[in-house]
Amino acid sequence: MTQLQVDTTSRAALSSLSAIKAAGSGNNRFNGLLTPPDSPLALKARQQKSKVSEVVAVAGEDEHKGGREWIRHPVSWSLFKRYVDSQNIEPLGRSLETHTTYEMVMAARRKEYGSVAKYLTTHVLPDFTASTMETGFDPHSALVVEDFELLVNDFPYYLSDDVEHWVLWCRKRLAPGFAAPAAAVQAIHAKFGVSVEWRYFVNPVAKQSVPQLSHAHVFVKRV
C-alpha cells in the first residue's frame, strides 16, 4: 500500500469518526439515539474499523506490538498528574482520530521500511542514532544531557489542549518507570525552563511501540 493509499484510507476512516465511536461501545449511540447493530451506520463503522485492522495485518502480527488503546474523552492536566503520580497510566491513550491515523501510518512505515525503528533512524533521528556508532561511545556509561533529544510527539495522547506531549529519545537504555534520571531532568529544563510543570515516564516494554529505540514520554504544562 502506498502512502497515498494510506492517506486516502485514513481520511475515509476519519470521515466516519462518529460512526466508529458508535460501533466502539456496547450501546451504539449516535446523536443520543440508539443505533441498531444492523443499521447502515453501524455497518459502515465496522467496515472502517476493519480497514484499520487490514492495514495493520499487512505489517504482520509480530510487528504490531505495544501501543495503547484509544480513549473517548481528553484527560485534564490535574487528572493526568494524579494518574502519573500514582503510577497508573493504564487510563491514558490517544483519541480515536489520532489512534486511527497512528495505526495507518505505523503500518505503512513497517511495510516500506521493515520496522518503525528503521524509518526513525533513517528520517527522524539519523545523526542522533549515528552518534552511537562513534569511537568512544559507551552505551553503559552514565547518562549525560547530550544523550537526549526532545521531539514533539506526532501522535499525542488525548489530553486537554494546554498540555504538550513530547518524546525524549535517549542514546542509552532507559528503564521503564516514572523516575527521570538527573540528566533527563537537565535536558527537560534546558528545553522548557524550570518554571513549567512536567511529568515523565517510560512505558513498560509491552506498551512500547518502538522498543528498539529507547525513549520516554514527557508531558509539559507551561505556566
Side-chain angles (χ1 to χ4, degrees), residues 4 7 30 41 54 59-60 63 66 79 84 89 106 111 116 132 140 142 145 147 158 169 190 192 198 216-217 220:
L4 177 59
D7 292 342
F30 185 68
L41 178 63
E54 290 173 3
E63 282 288 348
L79 181 57
V84 176
I89 55 177
M106 292 300 105
K111 180 174 176 58
V116 176
T132 63
H140 304 293
V145 175
D147 288 324
Y158 198 13
W169 300 100
F192 304 108
W198 58 272
H217 292 266
V220 176

Side-chain angles (χ1 to χ4, degrees), residues 4 17 22 37 71 86 94 103 105 107 110 118 167 221:
L4 177 59
L17 182 58
I71 59 177
S86 63
R94 298 175 175 88
E103 293 286 8
V105 172
R110 291 186 187 102
K118 179 64 175 176
V167 181
K221 171 75 161 59

Side-chain angles (χ1 to χ4, degrees), residues 52-104:
V52 176
S53 299
E54 290 173 3
V55 173
V56 170
V58 170
E61 289 186 8
D62 291 340
E63 282 288 348
H64 183 56
K65 294 181 179 179
R68 294 184 173 277
E69 295 300 317
W70 60 275
I71 59 177
R72 296 180 179 279
H73 305 290
V75 177
S76 69
W77 179 241
S78 59
L79 181 57
F80 174 80
K81 288 191 294 183
R82 266 185 290 172
Y83 285 148
V84 176
D85 293 347
S86 63
Q87 301 188 5
N88 174 29
I89 55 177
E90 285 305 310
L92 301 178
R94 298 175 175 88
S95 68
L96 177 57
E97 179 177 356
T98 301
H99 178 77
T100 303
T101 304
Y102 170 83
E103 293 286 8
M104 296 281 192

Side-chain angles (χ1 to χ4, degrees), residues 97-183:
E97 179 177 356
T98 301
H99 178 77
T100 303
T101 304
Y102 170 83
E103 293 286 8
M104 296 281 192
V105 172
M106 292 300 105
R109 288 172 181 171
R110 291 186 187 102
K111 180 174 176 58
E112 183 174 355
Y113 294 91
S115 70
V116 176
K118 179 64 175 176
Y119 166 82
L120 290 170
T121 56
T122 301
H123 295 289
V124 181
L125 300 163
D127 297 334
F128 186 68
T129 52
S131 65
T132 63
M133 306 302 293
E134 295 176 355
T135 302
F137 176 78
D138 181 2
H140 304 293
S141 62
L143 288 167
V144 294
V145 175
E146 290 73 22
D147 288 324
F148 295 96
E149 181 163 347
L150 271 160
L151 297 176
V152 172
N153 193 324
D154 291 333
F155 307 100
Y157 291 175
Y158 198 13
L159 306 173
S160 54
D161 291 339
D162 57 347
V163 182
E164 302 172 21
H165 186 176
W166 293 72
V167 181
L168 182 64
W169 300 100
C170 185
R171 299 191 301 171
K172 300 166 186 173
R173 185 56 53 183
L174 293 172
F178 299 84

